[in-house]
Amino acid sequence: EMFCVDRKFKTNLGLFILFTLAVTTPVVAGTLIGGTFTIIANPEREVSPAIAYNSDREEYLVVWYNDRPGNDDIRARRLDKNGNKVGEPIYISAGPGHDRRYPDVSYNIQHNQYMVVWENQKSGGFHSIRARRVSGTGDLIDQNDIFIAGDDGNIMPLKPAIAYSFTSDRYMVVWSEIWHPTAAHTIYAQ
């Protein structure tokens, strides 16, 4: 189970709020292994974590977004089976003009890669669902976002989730969608 803890501190420059992304360690036979530890601690808001397990490397990939006005980025960090950090945090999708939110991640054991999906909002207001693949070693496979759905002024796809099927070697992405002008809510998959 993962959660976000916030702490306030004061310096001679003023009041700051530190958002810390933390995780409890894996559960084995109903008990926790170890205690709570920090994955990333920045003065930015690090929120909405998701996690997938890589059974080939016995590692986890934790994804989240940093909540900054007009420029939310999707980030990730690898952890070994004991929760130790592996390498530095990774930017999955970043840059100005987009708010990227609510990531999810799934691991593909056949190709030793992860697929990360998220909700994307361009500065013009159009929403879409985007994705990128990440190798098991933490390298970006895709240099550009993979478009899944949206970018139409009449629809607003939101909060995707992803799963991988070993038997068919395919991913499935689901999301909710609001259709304007009726404001009808629907669940879609691809």
PDB file of all heavy atoms in Angstrom, residues 91-119:
ATOM      1  N   TYR A  91      12.252  10.399 -15.696  1.00  0.00           N
ATOM      2  CA  TYR A  91      11.136  11.158 -16.269  1.00  0.00           C
ATOM      3  C   TYR A  91      10.565  10.316 -17.405  1.00  0.00           C
ATOM      4  O   TYR A  91      11.237  10.065 -18.405  1.00  0.00           O
ATOM      5  CB  TYR A  91      11.589  12.515 -16.801  1.00  0.00           C
ATOM      6  CG  TYR A  91      11.708  13.553 -15.724  1.00  0.00           C
ATOM      7  CD1 TYR A  91      12.922  13.790 -15.099  1.00  0.00           C
ATOM      8  CD2 TYR A  91      10.601  14.289 -15.328  1.00  0.00           C
ATOM      9  CE1 TYR A  91      13.027  14.741 -14.098  1.00  0.00           C
ATOM     10  CE2 TYR A  91      10.692  15.243 -14.327  1.00  0.00           C
ATOM     11  CZ  TYR A  91      11.912  15.462 -13.720  1.00  0.00           C
ATOM     12  OH  TYR A  91      12.017  16.402 -12.730  1.00  0.00           O
ATOM     13  N   ILE A  92       9.319   9.877 -17.263  1.00  0.00           N
ATOM     14  CA  ILE A  92       8.651   9.093 -18.298  1.00  0.00           C
ATOM     15  C   ILE A  92       8.134  10.018 -19.392  1.00  0.00           C
ATOM     16  O   ILE A  92       8.324   9.772 -20.578  1.00  0.00           O
ATOM     17  CB  ILE A  92       7.484   8.269 -17.710  1.00  0.00           C
ATOM     18  CG1 ILE A  92       7.973   7.371 -16.563  1.00  0.00           C
ATOM     19  CG2 ILE A  92       6.772   7.479 -18.795  1.00  0.00           C
ATOM     20  CD1 ILE A  92       8.949   6.300 -16.971  1.00  0.00           C
ATOM     21  N   SER A  93       7.435  11.075 -19.011  1.00  0.00           N
ATOM     22  CA  SER A  93       6.953  12.086 -19.953  1.00  0.00           C
ATOM     23  C   SER A  93       6.980  13.421 -19.229  1.00  0.00           C
ATOM     24  O   SER A  93       6.424  13.550 -18.145  1.00  0.00           O
ATOM     25  CB  SER A  93       5.537  11.755 -20.441  1.00  0.00           C
ATOM     26  OG  SER A  93       5.133  12.653 -21.458  1.00  0.00           O
ATOM     27  N   ALA A  94       7.628  14.420 -19.842  1.00  0.00           N
ATOM     28  CA  ALA A  94       7.824  15.694 -19.163  1.00  0.00           C
ATOM     29  C   ALA A  94       7.880  16.828 -20.183  1.00  0.00           C
ATOM     30  O   ALA A  94       8.079  16.606 -21.366  1.00  0.00           O
ATOM     31  CB  ALA A  94       9.121  15.653 -18.356  1.00  0.00           C
ATOM     32  N   GLY A  95       7.709  18.035 -19.675  1.00  0.00           N
ATOM     33  CA  GLY A  95       7.857  19.220 -20.505  1.00  0.00           C
ATOM     34  C   GLY A  95       6.664  20.148 -20.379  1.00  0.00           C
ATOM     35  O   GLY A  95       5.606  19.767 -19.873  1.00  0.00           O
ATOM     36  N   PRO A  96       6.831  21.384 -20.842  1.00  0.00           N
ATOM     37  CA  PRO A  96       5.768  22.385 -20.697  1.00  0.00           C
ATOM     38  C   PRO A  96       4.592  22.139 -21.640  1.00  0.00           C
ATOM     39  O   PRO A  96       4.707  21.420 -22.630  1.00  0.00           O
ATOM     40  CB  PRO A  96       6.483  23.697 -21.043  1.00  0.00           C
ATOM     41  CG  PRO A  96       7.598  23.285 -21.946  1.00  0.00           C
ATOM     42  CD  PRO A  96       8.028  21.927 -21.477  1.00  0.00           C
ATOM     43  N   GLY A  97       3.467  22.759 -21.295  1.00  0.00           N
ATOM     44  CA  GLY A  97       2.288  22.719 -22.154  1.00  0.00           C
ATOM     45  C   GLY A  97       1.371  21.536 -21.946  1.00  0.00           C
ATOM     46  O   GLY A  97       0.384  21.379 -22.663  1.00  0.00           O
ATOM     47  N   HIS A  98       1.681  20.677 -20.982  1.00  0.00           N
ATOM     48  CA  HIS A  98       0.848  19.507 -20.707  1.00  0.00           C
ATOM     49  C   HIS A  98       0.745  19.305 -19.212  1.00  0.00           C
ATOM     50  O   HIS A  98       1.714  19.491 -18.482  1.00  0.00           O
ATOM     51  CB  HIS A  98       1.453  18.231 -21.306  1.00  0.00           C
ATOM     52  CG  HIS A  98       1.453  18.186 -22.780  1.00  0.00           C
ATOM     53  ND1 HIS A  98       0.520  17.499 -23.497  1.00  0.00           N
ATOM     54  CD2 HIS A  98       2.281  18.754 -23.693  1.00  0.00           C
ATOM     55  CE1 HIS A  98       0.775  17.624 -24.788  1.00  0.00           C
ATOM     56  NE2 HIS A  98       1.841  18.386 -24.923  1.00  0.00           N
ATOM     57  N   ASP A  99      -0.425  18.902 -18.751  1.00  0.00           N
ATOM     58  CA  ASP A  99      -0.602  18.372 -17.407  1.00  0.00           C
ATOM     59  C   ASP A  99      -0.790  16.874 -17.567  1.00  0.00           C
ATOM     60  O   ASP A  99      -1.748  16.422 -18.194  1.00  0.00           O
ATOM     61  CB  ASP A  99      -1.818  18.997 -16.715  1.00  0.00           C
ATOM     62  CG  ASP A  99      -1.506  20.356 -16.136  1.00  0.00           C
ATOM     63  OD1 ASP A  99      -0.362  20.566 -15.686  1.00  0.00           O
ATOM     64  OD2 ASP A  99      -2.401  21.208 -16.113  1.00  0.00           O
ATOM     65  N   ARG A 100       0.140  16.098 -17.028  1.00  0.00           N
ATOM     66  CA  ARG A 100       0.093  14.634 -17.105  1.00  0.00           C
ATOM     67  C   ARG A 100      -0.228  14.130 -15.702  1.00  0.00           C
ATOM     68  O   ARG A 100       0.507  14.435 -14.762  1.00  0.00           O
ATOM     69  CB  ARG A 100       1.438  14.107 -17.568  1.00  0.00           C
ATOM     70  CG  ARG A 100       1.852  14.633 -18.921  1.00  0.00           C
ATOM     71  CD  ARG A 100       3.361  14.438 -19.114  1.00  0.00           C
ATOM     72  NE  ARG A 100       3.830  15.103 -20.292  1.00  0.00           N
ATOM     73  CZ  ARG A 100       4.245  16.379 -20.323  1.00  0.00           C
ATOM     74  NH1 ARG A 100       4.235  17.106 -19.230  1.00  0.00           N
ATOM     75  NH2 ARG A 100       4.669  16.897 -21.451  1.00  0.00           N
ATOM     76  N   ARG A 101      -1.306  13.346 -15.608  1.00  0.00           N
ATOM     77  CA  ARG A 101      -1.772  12.936 -14.281  1.00  0.00           C
ATOM     78  C   ARG A 101      -2.219  11.482 -14.252  1.00  0.00           C
ATOM     79  O   ARG A 101      -2.483  10.886 -15.266  1.00  0.00           O
ATOM     80  CB  ARG A 101      -2.966  13.809 -13.866  1.00  0.00           C
ATOM     81  CG  ARG A 101      -2.630  15.262 -13.747  1.00  0.00           C
ATOM     82  CD  ARG A 101      -3.849  16.063 -13.335  1.00  0.00           C
ATOM     83  NE  ARG A 101      -3.530  17.462 -13.240  1.00  0.00           N
ATOM     84  CZ  ARG A 101      -4.246  18.436 -13.753  1.00  0.00           C
ATOM     85  NH1 ARG A 101      -5.358  18.161 -14.416  1.00  0.00           N
ATOM     86  NH2 ARG A 101      -3.874  19.682 -13.622  1.00  0.00           N
ATOM     87  N   TYR A 102      -2.364  10.971 -13.039  1.00  0.00           N
ATOM     88  CA  TYR A 102      -2.962   9.664 -12.732  1.00  0.00           C
ATOM     89  C   TYR A 102      -2.325   8.512 -13.522  1.00  0.00           C
ATOM     90  O   TYR A 102      -2.995   7.795 -14.243  1.00  0.00           O
ATOM     91  CB  TYR A 102      -4.480   9.706 -12.939  1.00  0.00           C
ATOM     92  CG  TYR A 102      -5.116  10.850 -12.205  1.00  0.00           C
ATOM     93  CD1 TYR A 102      -5.656  11.929 -12.897  1.00  0.00           C
ATOM     94  CD2 TYR A 102      -5.120  10.884 -10.818  1.00  0.00           C
ATOM     95  CE1 TYR A 102      -6.211  13.001 -12.225  1.00  0.00           C
ATOM     96  CE2 TYR A 102      -5.674  11.958 -10.134  1.00  0.00           C
ATOM     97  CZ  TYR A 102      -6.207  13.018 -10.846  1.00  0.00           C
ATOM     98  OH  TYR A 102      -6.750  14.085 -10.178  1.00  0.00           O
ATOM     99  N   PRO A 103      -1.027   8.295 -13.333  1.00  0.00           N
ATOM    100  CA  PRO A 103      -0.381   7.195 -14.050  1.00  0.00           C
ATOM    101  C   PRO A 103      -0.753   5.835 -13.474  1.00  0.00           C
ATOM    102  O   PRO A 103      -1.158   5.714 -12.319  1.00  0.00           O
ATOM    103  CB  PRO A 103       1.103   7.479 -13.836  1.00  0.00           C
ATOM    104  CG  PRO A 103       1.152   8.154 -12.508  1.00  0.00           C
ATOM    105  CD  PRO A 103      -0.101   9.012 -12.466  1.00  0.00           C
ATOM    106  N   ASP A 104      -0.604   4.828 -14.315  1.00  0.00           N
ATOM    107  CA  ASP A 104      -0.698   3.437 -13.891  1.00  0.00           C
ATOM    108  C   ASP A 104       0.399   2.695 -14.652  1.00  0.00           C
ATOM    109  O   ASP A 104       0.898   3.174 -15.673  1.00  0.00           O
ATOM    110  CB  ASP A 104      -2.082   2.850 -14.192  1.00  0.00           C
ATOM    111  CG  ASP A 104      -2.325   1.546 -13.443  1.00  0.00           C
ATOM    112  OD1 ASP A 104      -1.660   1.296 -12.411  1.00  0.00           O
ATOM    113  OD2 ASP A 104      -3.182   0.760 -13.879  1.00  0.00           O
ATOM    114  N   VAL A 105       0.768   1.507 -14.175  1.00  0.00           N
ATOM    115  CA  VAL A 105       1.871   0.769 -14.777  1.00  0.00           C
ATOM    116  C   VAL A 105       1.595  -0.725 -14.699  1.00  0.00           C
ATOM    117  O   VAL A 105       0.949  -1.199 -13.763  1.00  0.00           O
ATOM    118  CB  VAL A 105       3.214   1.122 -14.073  1.00  0.00           C
ATOM    119  CG1 VAL A 105       3.174   0.780 -12.596  1.00  0.00           C
ATOM    120  CG2 VAL A 105       4.392   0.473 -14.769  1.00  0.00           C
ATOM    121  N   SER A 106       2.074  -1.443 -15.722  1.00  0.00           N
ATOM    122  CA  SER A 106       1.971  -2.896 -15.751  1.00  0.00           C
ATOM    123  C   SER A 106       3.277  -3.455 -16.308  1.00  0.00           C
ATOM    124  O   SER A 106       3.933  -2.809 -17.130  1.00  0.00           O
ATOM    125  CB  SER A 106       0.789  -3.328 -16.629  1.00  0.00           C
ATOM    126  OG  SER A 106       0.604  -4.729 -16.551  1.00  0.00           O
ATOM    127  N   TYR A 107       3.640  -4.656 -15.875  1.00  0.00           N
ATOM    128  CA  TYR A 107       4.880  -5.284 -16.332  1.00  0.00           C
ATOM    129  C   TYR A 107       4.591  -6.395 -17.332  1.00  0.00           C
ATOM    130  O   TYR A 107       3.715  -7.223 -17.133  1.00  0.00           O
ATOM    131  CB  TYR A 107       5.671  -5.852 -15.145  1.00  0.00           C
ATOM    132  CG  TYR A 107       6.931  -6.539 -15.581  1.00  0.00           C
ATOM    133  CD1 TYR A 107       7.982  -5.809 -16.114  1.00  0.00           C
ATOM    134  CD2 TYR A 107       7.056  -7.919 -15.498  1.00  0.00           C
ATOM    135  CE1 TYR A 107       9.133  -6.437 -16.550  1.00  0.00           C
ATOM    136  CE2 TYR A 107       8.207  -8.558 -15.915  1.00  0.00           C
ATOM    137  CZ  TYR A 107       9.242  -7.812 -16.444  1.00  0.00           C
ATOM    138  OH  TYR A 107      10.383  -8.434 -16.875  1.00  0.00           O
ATOM    139  N   ASN A 108       5.362  -6.434 -18.429  1.00  0.00           N
ATOM    140  CA  ASN A 108       5.266  -7.434 -19.484  1.00  0.00           C
ATOM    141  C   ASN A 108       6.451  -8.377 -19.330  1.00  0.00           C
ATOM    142  O   ASN A 108       7.578  -8.039 -19.697  1.00  0.00           O
ATOM    143  CB  ASN A 108       5.289  -6.720 -20.839  1.00  0.00           C
ATOM    144  CG  ASN A 108       5.284  -7.656 -22.018  1.00  0.00           C
ATOM    145  OD1 ASN A 108       5.768  -8.776 -21.954  1.00  0.00           O
ATOM    146  ND2 ASN A 108       4.758  -7.167 -23.126  1.00  0.00           N
ATOM    147  N   ILE A 109       6.196  -9.569 -18.795  1.00  0.00           N
ATOM    148  CA  ILE A 109       7.267 -10.526 -18.510  1.00  0.00           C
ATOM    149  C   ILE A 109       7.894 -11.091 -19.795  1.00  0.00           C
ATOM    150  O   ILE A 109       9.067 -11.425 -19.820  1.00  0.00           O
ATOM    151  CB  ILE A 109       6.758 -11.662 -17.595  1.00  0.00           C
ATOM    152  CG1 ILE A 109       7.920 -12.482 -17.067  1.00  0.00           C
ATOM    153  CG2 ILE A 109       5.720 -12.513 -18.315  1.00  0.00           C
ATOM    154  CD1 ILE A 109       7.549 -13.458 -15.980  1.00  0.00           C
ATOM    155  N   GLN A 110       7.132 -11.154 -20.885  1.00  0.00           N
ATOM    156  CA  GLN A 110       7.671 -11.730 -22.124  1.00  0.00           C
ATOM    157  C   GLN A 110       8.713 -10.835 -22.783  1.00  0.00           C
ATOM    158  O   GLN A 110       9.615 -11.322 -23.466  1.00  0.00           O
ATOM    159  CB  GLN A 110       6.537 -12.036 -23.096  1.00  0.00           C
ATOM    160  CG  GLN A 110       5.651 -13.159 -22.602  1.00  0.00           C
ATOM    161  CD  GLN A 110       4.743 -13.689 -23.669  1.00  0.00           C
ATOM    162  OE1 GLN A 110       5.169 -13.911 -24.794  1.00  0.00           O
ATOM    163  NE2 GLN A 110       3.486 -13.883 -23.330  1.00  0.00           N
ATOM    164  N   HIS A 111       8.589  -9.529 -22.600  1.00  0.00           N
ATOM    165  CA  HIS A 111       9.512  -8.589 -23.243  1.00  0.00           C
ATOM    166  C   HIS A 111      10.341  -7.799 -22.232  1.00  0.00           C
ATOM    167  O   HIS A 111      11.073  -6.881 -22.629  1.00  0.00           O
ATOM    168  CB  HIS A 111       8.733  -7.627 -24.147  1.00  0.00           C
ATOM    169  CG  HIS A 111       7.985  -8.342 -25.221  1.00  0.00           C
ATOM    170  ND1 HIS A 111       8.603  -8.833 -26.355  1.00  0.00           N
ATOM    171  CD2 HIS A 111       6.684  -8.696 -25.318  1.00  0.00           C
ATOM    172  CE1 HIS A 111       7.707  -9.436 -27.115  1.00  0.00           C
ATOM    173  NE2 HIS A 111       6.532  -9.370 -26.504  1.00  0.00           N
ATOM    174  N   ASN A 112      10.237  -8.161 -20.951  1.00  0.00           N
ATOM    175  CA  ASN A 112      10.967  -7.489 -19.880  1.00  0.00           C
ATOM    176  C   ASN A 112      10.830  -5.969 -19.999  1.00  0.00           C
ATOM    177  O   ASN A 112      11.815  -5.236 -20.099  1.00  0.00           O
ATOM    178  CB  ASN A 112      12.442  -7.899 -19.873  1.00  0.00           C
ATOM    179  CG  ASN A 112      13.189  -7.371 -18.660  1.00  0.00           C
ATOM    180  OD1 ASN A 112      12.607  -7.148 -17.596  1.00  0.00           O
ATOM    181  ND2 ASN A 112      14.478  -7.148 -18.817  1.00  0.00           N
ATOM    182  N   GLN A 113       9.573  -5.520 -20.020  1.00  0.00           N
ATOM    183  CA  GLN A 113       9.311  -4.078 -20.118  1.00  0.00           C
ATOM    184  C   GLN A 113       8.033  -3.727 -19.373  1.00  0.00           C
ATOM    185  O   GLN A 113       7.183  -4.573 -19.132  1.00  0.00           O
ATOM    186  CB  GLN A 113       9.201  -3.633 -21.569  1.00  0.00           C
ATOM    187  CG  GLN A 113       7.984  -4.191 -22.286  1.00  0.00           C
ATOM    188  CD  GLN A 113       7.950  -3.837 -23.762  1.00  0.00           C
ATOM    189  OE1 GLN A 113       8.953  -3.491 -24.355  1.00  0.00           O
ATOM    190  NE2 GLN A 113       6.786  -3.934 -24.356  1.00  0.00           N
ATOM    191  N   TYR A 114       7.937  -2.463 -19.032  1.00  0.00           N
ATOM    192  CA  TYR A 114       6.742  -1.913 -18.399  1.00  0.00           C
ATOM    193  C   TYR A 114       6.011  -1.054 -19.424  1.00  0.00           C
ATOM    194  O   TYR A 114       6.630  -0.511 -20.338  1.00  0.00           O
ATOM    195  CB  TYR A 114       7.109  -1.004 -17.226  1.00  0.00           C
ATOM    196  CG  TYR A 114       7.913  -1.657 -16.134  1.00  0.00           C
ATOM    197  CD1 TYR A 114       9.305  -1.617 -16.159  1.00  0.00           C
ATOM    198  CD2 TYR A 114       7.283  -2.278 -15.064  1.00  0.00           C
ATOM    199  CE1 TYR A 114      10.044  -2.185 -15.138  1.00  0.00           C
ATOM    200  CE2 TYR A 114       8.019  -2.847 -14.041  1.00  0.00           C
ATOM    201  CZ  TYR A 114       9.411  -2.806 -14.089  1.00  0.00           C
ATOM    202  OH  TYR A 114      10.137  -3.370 -13.079  1.00  0.00           O
ATOM    203  N   MET A 115       4.719  -0.915 -19.232  1.00  0.00           N
ATOM    204  CA  MET A 115       3.935   0.078 -19.977  1.00  0.00           C
ATOM    205  C   MET A 115       3.341   1.008 -18.930  1.00  0.00           C
ATOM    206  O   MET A 115       2.693   0.564 -17.984  1.00  0.00           O
ATOM    207  CB  MET A 115       2.834  -0.559 -20.803  1.00  0.00           C
ATOM    208  CG  MET A 115       1.941   0.442 -21.521  1.00  0.00           C
ATOM    209  SD  MET A 115       2.605   1.090 -23.050  1.00  0.00           S
ATOM    210  CE  MET A 115       2.209  -0.243 -24.169  1.00  0.00           C
ATOM    211  N   VAL A 116       3.602   2.303 -19.103  1.00  0.00           N
ATOM    212  CA  VAL A 116       3.073   3.324 -18.205  1.00  0.00           C
ATOM    213  C   VAL A 116       2.023   4.107 -18.980  1.00  0.00           C
ATOM    214  O   VAL A 116       2.280   4.541 -20.111  1.00  0.00           O
ATOM    215  CB  VAL A 116       4.194   4.278 -17.726  1.00  0.00           C
ATOM    216  CG1 VAL A 116       3.624   5.342 -16.784  1.00  0.00           C
ATOM    217  CG2 VAL A 116       5.312   3.495 -17.050  1.00  0.00           C
ATOM    218  N   VAL A 117       0.827   4.275 -18.405  1.00  0.00           N
ATOM    219  CA  VAL A 117      -0.248   5.057 -19.027  1.00  0.00           C
ATOM    220  C   VAL A 117      -0.610   6.206 -18.104  1.00  0.00           C
ATOM    221  O   VAL A 117      -0.382   6.141 -16.899  1.00  0.00           O
ATOM    222  CB  VAL A 117      -1.504   4.200 -19.329  1.00  0.00           C
ATOM    223  CG1 VAL A 117      -1.204   3.114 -20.341  1.00  0.00           C
ATOM    224  CG2 VAL A 117      -2.092   3.610 -18.055  1.00  0.00           C
ATOM    225  N   TRP A 118      -1.174   7.273 -18.671  1.00  0.00           N
ATOM    226  CA  TRP A 118      -1.582   8.415 -17.875  1.00  0.00           C
ATOM    227  C   TRP A 118      -2.613   9.250 -18.615  1.00  0.00           C
ATOM    228  O   TRP A 118      -2.798   9.112 -19.816  1.00  0.00           O
ATOM    229  CB  TRP A 118      -0.386   9.286 -17.488  1.00  0.00           C
ATOM    230  CG  TRP A 118       0.308   9.920 -18.654  1.00  0.00           C
ATOM    231  CD1 TRP A 118       0.035  11.141 -19.216  1.00  0.00           C
ATOM    232  CD2 TRP A 118       1.371   9.370 -19.423  1.00  0.00           C
ATOM    233  NE1 TRP A 118       0.864  11.382 -20.275  1.00  0.00           N
ATOM    234  CE2 TRP A 118       1.707  10.295 -20.426  1.00  0.00           C
ATOM    235  CE3 TRP A 118       2.081   8.161 -19.358  1.00  0.00           C
ATOM    236  CZ2 TRP A 118       2.705  10.076 -21.350  1.00  0.00           C
ATOM    237  CZ3 TRP A 118       3.083   7.943 -20.295  1.00  0.00           C
ATOM    238  CH2 TRP A 118       3.385   8.886 -21.265  1.00  0.00           C
ATOM    239  N   GLU A 119      -3.246  10.111 -17.859  1.00  0.00           N
ATOM    240  CA  GLU A 119      -4.185  11.103 -18.395  1.00  0.00           C
ATOM    241  C   GLU A 119      -3.366  12.328 -18.789  1.00  0.00           C
ATOM    242  O   GLU A 119      -2.548  12.805 -18.011  1.00  0.00           O
ATOM    243  CB  GLU A 119      -5.195  11.448 -17.304  1.00  0.00           C
ATOM    244  CG  GLU A 119      -6.141  12.552 -17.613  1.00  0.00           C
ATOM    245  CD  GLU A 119      -6.976  12.909 -16.396  1.00  0.00           C
ATOM    246  OE1 GLU A 119      -7.418  12.002 -15.662  1.00  0.00           O
ATOM    247  OE2 GLU A 119      -7.178  14.118 -16.166  1.00  0.00           O
TER     248      GLU A 119
END
